[in-house]
Amino acid sequence: MSRKEKKSLGEILLEQGVISQIQWQEVQEEERRADEPVRKVLLRLGVISEEDLVNFISQHMNIPRIELNNYLIDSKVIELIPEDLARKHQLIPILKIGKSVTCAMVDVFNIYAMDEISLKTGLTIEPAVATEEEIKKALDEQYTVQGSMSDVIKGLDEHKIGVKEGEDIEVDRLKGIGEEPPVIKLVNMMVAQAVREGASDIHVEPEENLLKVRFRIDGILHEKDSPPKHFQSAIISRIKILSDMNISERRRPQDGRFQMKMDNRQIDVRVSSVPTVYGENMVMRLLDTSNIILGLDQIGFHKDILETYRNILKKPNGIILVTGPTGSGKTTTLYASLNSINTPDKGIVTIEDPVEYRLAGVRQMQINPDVDLTFANGLRSILRQDPDIIMVGEIRDLETAEIAIQAALTGHLVFATLHTNNASGAMARLIDLGVEPFLLSSSIIGVIAQRLIRTLCKECQGQGCKVCLNTGYKGRNGIYELLIPNDEIRQLTMSKSSVEEIQKAAINSGMKTLNDDGMSKVEQGMTSKEEILRVTQEEA
């Protein structure tokens, strides 16, 4: 676009027949009356939609159309233009070549904005066009991850957006304070800091006189800089806005999700809210969707266990159970298992809650109770899809268990998770659900129990340093036990023997327990004895 262009946007729209002469006259009159740019008047009067206007500008004025929702921006480019200027002129830098920087703009006709930024930066501004919503979202995502959370907390102004304890707040005000730039910055900074520190969860916990923020890192919760109590409503409202939750509903649990782009990574955030006596407690689970699925040889299997497990994976049918408490890495093991046998000649279908990572070549379903898509109903549908291999996110009830077993008995290899303390407890758990023992003895071909252990920090060897937040640990690995049912274990299952009897038979047949595997990792210098005792204390 040449800056010498004499025709205005409205005149070009009129010339191209997009608006009528009467509409153009109305726009001109309103422009003079309201003293607003033509673009804003066109949209406010509803003469043209923003999407149509953006596309028109791109097509007829030779200005690139940038869809910012699908655009990854280098953080170094963002640093070229100060946040206050970017927000003032509703633009965001997206690409630097030589001495010019391309900026996605709401108003590409704002020559004064381009001149001011060019003067401040010493760069030539090349305009691109995007919608106001796209640019606002990009500004919130890109600029709010700069700096530290403690700096943002210090900068909050309680007189503008703070809410007194017990104050009755209208929904419109809740929405308003949830969209204030300092609040947006704080919440985005919270997520950004958690991602950088390798956290899996963020806890925002209202207490009587404070709002506590904690990150779960390597399985352990760590307290972080907490914002003042009077910003509780604003922060929770912001999280609910992002998660598409009902802001006005504060008495019932809610679930939601949102995504953030950070350092060229897509972060999927699952949000849970529950009411407590001091306000809504929020937990955000962070999933880096760009994570590479690990191989079986990378998740901590001892070589003997790995060799045996690979042999089981070669079997054409049967059930493989992965057990352990929430957060023990079961999903990672399942994905690594599927990845190791995912070949073009096999059909693999999963049903999960939720689908955490995408697996190439695998058809993945997510349960949806609102439309009666449960594990059981989904599993029935999967069986009509001619699969070779099936993964069930979790066996929670008798119906799902029986369908999974029937699938295994009719020629399918089935993977599923179960909540038990050890591998030997899987049989008892399924019997408790109501499964007939003879079905278990003929269908289950392997049971893995696992835990995640913290590994010693390589920088300080467990002494504690800045890298490991003075804990002595950095990163996690798995410990495992693998039970392979033999004739004795099948007979014990048929007779509904105790978990202890099955465990004893499994050990006698050569099974290494979780504690055994853990102590071998202590001997290797990977972790500490205290850490193994911490995660296996129920078996100690």
Side-chain angles (χ1 to χ4, degrees), residues 288-295 298 332 335 339 357-359:
D288 186 349
T289 57
S290 64
N291 268 357
I292 299 172
I293 304 299
L294 296 175
Q298 297 174 288
T332 298
Y335 281 180
N339 213 36
Y357 301 105
R358 306 300 190 262
L359 290 170

Side-chain angles (χ1 to χ4, degrees), residues 87-147:
R87 289 191 181 276
K88 174 184 174 183
H89 297 303
Q90 291 185 289
L91 56 81
I92 190 159
I94 59 173
L95 178 67
K96 179 180 180 292
I97 300 177
K99 287 291 185 179
S100 69
V101 59
T102 300
C103 294
M105 305 178 67
V106 169
D107 186 359
V108 295
F109 299 92
N110 191 342
I111 294 172
Y112 301 106
M114 288 186 267
D115 285 343
E116 182 177 4
I117 291 173
S118 183
L119 185 65
K120 293 273 188 181
T121 64
L123 299 168
T124 302
I125 308 303
E126 296 294 336
V129 65
T131 67
E132 186 170 352
E133 182 180 349
E134 288 173 341
I135 287 180
K136 182 180 183 298
K137 183 180 178 183
L139 286 168
D140 291 343
E141 286 183 348
Q142 298 297 333
Y143 281 103
T144 52
V145 298
Q146 310 297 320

